[in-house]
Amino acid sequence: MLGVTGFDQNEFIKVHENPGQITSIRFNPSKTQRFEVQAHNCQPIPWSSFGYYLPERPLFTMDPLLHAGAYYVQEASSMFLEQALKQTTDLLAPLRVLDLCAAPGGKSTLAQSLISPHSLLVSNEVIKTRAGILAENMVKWGSSNVIVTNNDPKSFSKLENYFDIVIVDAPCSGSGLFRKEPEAVKEWSDENVMLCNKRQQRILADIMPALKRDGILLYSTCSYSKEENEDILDWIAEHFAVDSLRLAVEASWGIVETLSNKTHSYGYRFFPDKVKGEGFFIAALKKKDCGHFYFPKSKKTNFEKLTKGEQAITRKWINDKPGIALIKMNDFVHAFPGSLLDDLDFLKSYLYFKKAGTLIGKITAKELIPEHELALSGLINGNLPSIELAKEQALRYLRKEEIKTDAQVKGWCLVRYQHQNLGWIKILQNRANNYYPLAWRIRM
Ligand code: SAM
């Protein structure tokens, strides 16, 4: 790292020898208002609208609000993505955003909170098991304008000029997390840095065609190595027509602006001895001169619509958010922004969907069997039967244990903790069945 702008060897070593723990979370603005946290002695993260440092690290698994998607536990430096998005893009415009390396979902949940409801987020993860975790976190986040996919970056090269923004939070050698995870030091080697460098190049080569003219590439790593950061910016600028974008950072934030050797591209480095956060690097580039995207002519949106009766059954379960379309796929009702149906149709021929929009439930001749996704979604009808649980009961629910209730309602009922939905129970004559997804239950 000698020679890297902003690297201060003594201070850097010192901060690694005495690793204090920094814990930060980011609120889900569609579920919680920020004033609720200010009361809890949490310091705001200066470059983030929804991020806070916590005075200590709680046992997050035992907080039902985490499972309700009211917040996401995210490292503070990573939340700077917000600045990169806001400073390079009109976030009120309808955008197509791809988060290419998205699991477990930190950047995706953040990007989703910043884009408009008419924008689309494609949240992709190549590793199957990790794509499952990503889908779970996106379900908890509760938004309908997201498609979670499980594809190799290569699959996206066919979507030429399609995305307005591509986020590549690249797999890297991970040195930026050494302070938090000292064990990871053993895995580090020069060879691995160079392997990561080559992999990062391959990922970028695959994805660049999918970015449209004037589209923004946000490239980030949690590595300190120049080979994975500034050298990659040089590689991009040498292989593609791009402009490097300069971001405004306040001096008090402690973020270091760097320039790459060959093409003088701007990068932003987070050193833990200078910022209250872990090691991180991010850069923004704008793509120049290339064609435009048009939907293929033969393509016509071709989703099965709900019959009038099915519409009536389904509408009882959801609120009347404008612009949401209901579509049927194999007897399951999905909600998706109506203005994005062409996109949904187009993308499904190229990508493997783990989840698209909000799965509302299974429709039968007379009723709808609600899905867990609906319970956690912003589309849920606020007047459905619900019971509020105390913390111990909420944890029993999340462990998928039996819930005792003397509620007078029968049938489907939401369970809530501090006014946040956790999921469904079905109240029968003398017991209540717990419908929390088996795979997500907490095992503590
Ligand atoms: N963006 C995530 C977040 O904020 O929560 C973290 C992403 S992590 C730094 C990098 C991700 O890239 C991992 O989920 C990893 O599985 C994925 N990955 C690994 N190899 C990849 C490859 N060859 N192409 C694309 N993604 C890859």
Side-chain angles (χ1 to χ4, degrees):
M1 286 170 66
L2 293 170
V4 167
T5 309
F7 176 58
D8 180 336
Q9 189 169 349
N10 290 337
E11 292 303 313
F12 185 85
I13 290 174
K14 229 192 272 169
V15 86
H16 280 76
E17 281 173 347
N18 303 299
Q21 198 165 49
I22 301 169
T23 304
S24 48
I25 59 171
R26 183 170 41 72
F27 277 86
N28 184 344
S30 70
K31 296 200 178 194
T32 314
Q33 300 300 316
R34 55 186 290 171
F35 65 83
E36 291 175 30
V37 267
Q38 280 166 340
H40 289 83
N41 209 359
C42 303
Q43 293 304 313
I45 295 170
W47 47 83
S48 165
S49 305
F50 315 117
Y52 290 83
Y53 296 109
L54 301 191
E56 60 207 19
R57 190 174 183 88
L59 188 50
F60 283 114
T61 310
M62 303 307 267
D63 181 8
L65 290 177
L66 176 73
H67 304 276
Y71 65 88
Y72 191 93
V73 183
Q74 187 177 35
E75 198 285 298
S77 305
S78 298
M79 295 184 205
F80 186 79
L81 177 75
E82 173 175 341
Q83 293 297 326
L85 279 168
K86 280 187 171 162
Q87 293 186 30
T88 57
T89 311
D90 172 10
L91 291 173
L92 295 175
L95 301 168
R96 296 181 184 129
V97 182
L98 169 65
D99 184 6
L100 182 67
C101 314
K107 310 280 182 313
S108 279
T109 49
L110 173 54
Q112 195 288 324
S113 297
L114 297 168
I115 59 177
S116 73
H118 322 288
S119 293
L120 172 68
L121 172 64
V122 177
S123 184
N124 178 70
E125 168 59 42
V126 62
I127 297 175
K128 201 171 171 194
T129 48
R130 289 178 62 81
I133 296 162
L134 173 65
E136 176 180 337
N137 284 329
M138 296 317 290
V139 165
K140 289 176 179 167
W141 210 244
S143 35
S144 298
N145 58 346
V146 181
I147 302 176
V148 176
T149 58
N150 175 207
N151 284 87
D152 189 276
K154 268 201 297 291
S155 318
F156 290 86
S157 45
K158 297 185 197 106
L159 308 179
E160 272 186 82
N161 308 312
Y162 179 76
F163 289 102
D164 298 276
I165 299 174
V166 172
I167 302 165
V168 178
D169 189 28
C172 69
S173 62
S175 44
L177 301 180
F178 281 175
R179 183 168 69 143
K180 238 170 84 178
E181 297 161 19
E183 282 298 297
V185 177
K186 292 184 196 137
E187 310 283 313
W188 191 92
S189 68
D190 282 320
E191 292 73 39
N192 192 34
V193 168
M194 287 323 292
L195 271 175
C196 288
N197 161 290
K198 292 284 172 254
R199 188 194 295 140
Q200 287 147 0
Q201 292 180 13
R202 277 199 306 275
I203 292 172
L204 288 160
D206 285 338
I207 205 60
M208 281 305 276
L211 190 59
K212 67 159 67 155
R213 177 191 192 141
D214 294 333
I216 304 293
L217 170 71
L218 299 175
Y219 174 79
S220 61
T221 72
C222 58
S223 163
Y224 294 117
S225 299
K226 198 163 77 46
E227 293 82 348
E228 298 179 74
N229 297 332
E230 288 85 357
D231 289 0
I232 290 289
L233 302 186
D234 278 340
W235 182 88
I236 299 172
E238 285 171 349
H239 288 82
F240 299 93
V242 289
D243 282 331
S244 159
L245 301 181
R246 191 172 193 187
L247 303 177
V249 285
E250 284 189 22
S252 62
W253 295 352
I255 299 162
V256 176
E257 183 180 271
T258 65
L259 282 176
S260 67
N261 282 346
K262 293 188 192 157
T263 60
H264 306 295
S265 304
Y266 295 106
Y268 296 85
R269 279 184 174 261
F270 294 67
F271 292 103
D273 49 299
K274 294 188 170 63
V275 298
K276 198 170 169 190
E278 303 309 318
F280 184 61
F281 174 86
I282 189 163
L285 301 128
K286 184 187 261 196
K287 186 170 170 182
K288 297 194 289 195
D289 72 357
C290 62
H292 288 279
F293 172 79
Y294 300 100
F295 281 113
K297 271 219 172 73
S298 59
K299 282 261 158 208
K300 263 221 142 94
T301 301
N302 198 14
F303 292 109
E304 200 182 336
K305 299 222 172 73
L306 275 67
T307 62
K308 278 218 168 99
E310 290 170 339
Q311 288 259 6
I313 292 171
T314 309
R315 289 278 167 201
K316 282 191 237 157
W317 293 83
I318 59 176
N319 57 32
D320 47 8
K321 255 199 185 143
I324 291 291
L326 296 174
I327 51 177
K328 212 166 90 175
M329 294 190 228
N330 309 323
D331 294 334
F332 282 90
V333 180
H334 293 250
F336 202 70
S339 59
L340 297 173
L341 286 180
D342 282 342
D343 294 84
L344 183 68
D345 199 30
F346 169 70
L347 291 173
K348 83 177 175 356
S349 349
Y350 293 95
L351 302 174
Y352 176 71
F353 286 5
K354 286 288 290 183
K355 137 179 174 60
T358 301
L359 184 55
I360 302 290
K362 188 172 181 183
I363 193 116
T364 66
K366 288 198 215 102
E367 60 167 0
L368 181 113
I369 302 164
E371 281 286 330
H372 187 68
E373 281 195 47
L374 172 63
L376 295 183
S377 151
L379 293 178
I380 187 108
N381 177 349
N383 298 320
L384 293 172
S386 66
I387 52 169
E388 182 75 22
L389 300 181
K391 187 163 181 186
E392 262 323 302
Q393 274 227 313
L395 289 171
R396 280 181 63 80
Y397 176 73
L398 295 168
R399 291 189 195 104
K400 209 170 164 57
E401 291 170 3
E402 198 183 328
I403 296 294
K404 299 231 178 313
T405 171
D406 48 16
Q408 293 308 304
V409 284
K410 292 278 169 288
W412 292 105
C413 178
L414 287 163
V415 292
R416 317 187 79 196
Y417 174 72
Q418 294 189 4
H419 312 297
Q420 299 288 341
N421 291 345
L422 296 176
W424 299 104
I425 54 171
K426 194 168 185 185
I427 305 178
L428 308 173
Q429 202 58 36
N430 44 14
R431 63 168 205 280
N433 287 343
N434 183 335
Y435 277 81
Y436 195 69
L438 184 66
W440 297 7
R441 74 189 187 284
I442 55 178
R443 296 175 176 90
M444 284 172 110

